[in-house]
Amino acid sequence: AAPYGNFPNYSHFHPPEGRISLLPGGLLRSLFPAAARPLLGLDVGCNSGELSVALYRHLLGLQEGEGNQDQPAAGKDLNLLCCDIDPALIERAQQCSPFPASISFANLDIMDSSAREPLLSSYLGRFGRSAFDIGFCMSVTMWIHLNHGDSGLVEFLSFLSSLCRYLLVEPQPWRCYRAAARRLRRLGRNDFDHFRSLAIKGDMAERITHILTRDCTMELVCCFGSTSWDRSLLLFKWSDSHHGGRETSEQEQ
């Protein structure tokens, strides 16, 4: 049933290449031409890590098979913290990671503030930082929305936007909500608590863009297009007016 999106073979039916192929090469260089290294990334809802590793390779221009446990690869340039609610998926990600020196996997319910604050603060503190340079939220928003309602979705996006200078979001379209609810009913499980009471619905890419740009004062940088399964990749950044001073101080560090 995977009520939190924690499908054990997720990368088999939505392979990483479907997203990676939409992202331009040299993205980190264009976004952070003069920022101090290493850059820090946060991947929320990483499942068993296949997409996290593929993103890492793509962002650093590493070929498949390049980098192994004895070679930290380009860890001087990018460090990723990847988290997921499912401990079994995290254990698999840790066992299979080719970059243990620069990609960290952690079991975390991102909506549990008592658990997330110490983990994220500790990780950022290792680098003397107060925010991540870039965050990834790939096909996660629907599961937050279904399990925590409209207010939970807004809280989640607000939290991520406060913590990540850039945020790459892949929202699930509304038809995926209906499909997830049908799957649960077919298996004889109770419906998602909030599904029938959600007021935020319809064009979810548009609704999430509205929340991030109006409520969270981020700016939409671009849409990198849509995957073959019809999900947009949207890149947002801190607005100068809201985060300008903080962003400048982070870069100077």
Side-chain angles (χ1 to χ4, degrees), residues 72-144:
K76 300 190 298 293
D77 292 320
L78 176 65
N79 278 266
L80 280 184
L81 174 61
C82 310
C83 58
D84 197 273
I85 197 171
D86 189 321
L89 292 175
I90 287 296
E91 183 178 0
R92 178 148 48 111
Q94 290 169 335
Q95 291 172 348
C96 298
S97 174
F99 303 106
S102 44
I103 304 181
S104 302
F105 291 99
N107 177 217
L108 175 69
D109 178 357
I110 197 70
M111 298 300 286
D112 181 351
S113 59
S114 64
R116 77 187 180 205
E117 298 298 343
L119 174 68
L120 299 179
S121 297
S122 172
Y123 185 85
L124 288 168
R126 286 166 44 194
F127 301 92
R129 302 285 295 280
S130 60
F132 290 90
D133 295 291
I134 187 165
F136 303 97
C137 180
M138 312 296 278
S139 286
V140 173
T141 50
M142 178 182 75
W143 304 109
I144 299 291

Side-chain angles (χ1 to χ4, degrees), residues 11 20 22 35 38 56 71 74 82 100 105 137 147 151 158 164 166 186 192 199-200 211 218 222-223 225 238 248 251:
S11 65
I20 299 302
L22 297 175
Y56 182 85
Q71 175 191 6
C82 310
F105 291 99
C137 180
N147 287 287
S151 61
S158 177
C164 303
Y166 283 86
R186 283 185 192 137
F192 292 100
I200 300 173
I211 293 168
M218 295 194 92
C222 67
C223 174
W238 282 354
T248 300
Q251 286 181 316

Side-chain angles (χ1 to χ4, degrees), residues 13-15 18-19 21-22 170 175 225-231:
F13 53 93
H14 286 326
R19 285 89 163 219
S21 62
L22 297 175
E170 181 194 29
R175 60 180 174 73
S226 297
T227 64
S228 59
W229 52 93
D230 193 30
R231 297 185 195 175

Side-chain angles (χ1 to χ4, degrees), residues 128-193:
R129 302 285 295 280
S130 60
F132 290 90
D133 295 291
I134 187 165
F136 303 97
C137 180
M138 312 296 278
S139 286
V140 173
T141 50
M142 178 182 75
W143 304 109
I144 299 291
H145 202 184
L146 286 171
N147 287 287
H148 298 275
D150 289 335
S151 61
L153 176 65
V154 173
E155 180 207 334
F156 172 67
L157 294 172
S158 177
F159 173 71
L160 281 189
S161 69
S162 72
L163 201 62
C164 303
R165 290 168 57 195
Y166 283 86
L167 186 59
L168 185 66
V169 185
E170 181 194 29
Q172 290 103 321
W174 184 252
R175 60 180 174 73
C176 293
Y177 285 65
R178 294 195 297 265
R182 277 198 305 272
R183 258 197 317 271
L184 225 53
R185 288 195 295 272
R186 283 185 192 137
L187 292 169
R189 303 280 292 272
N190 292 330
D191 208 346
F192 292 100
D193 291 343

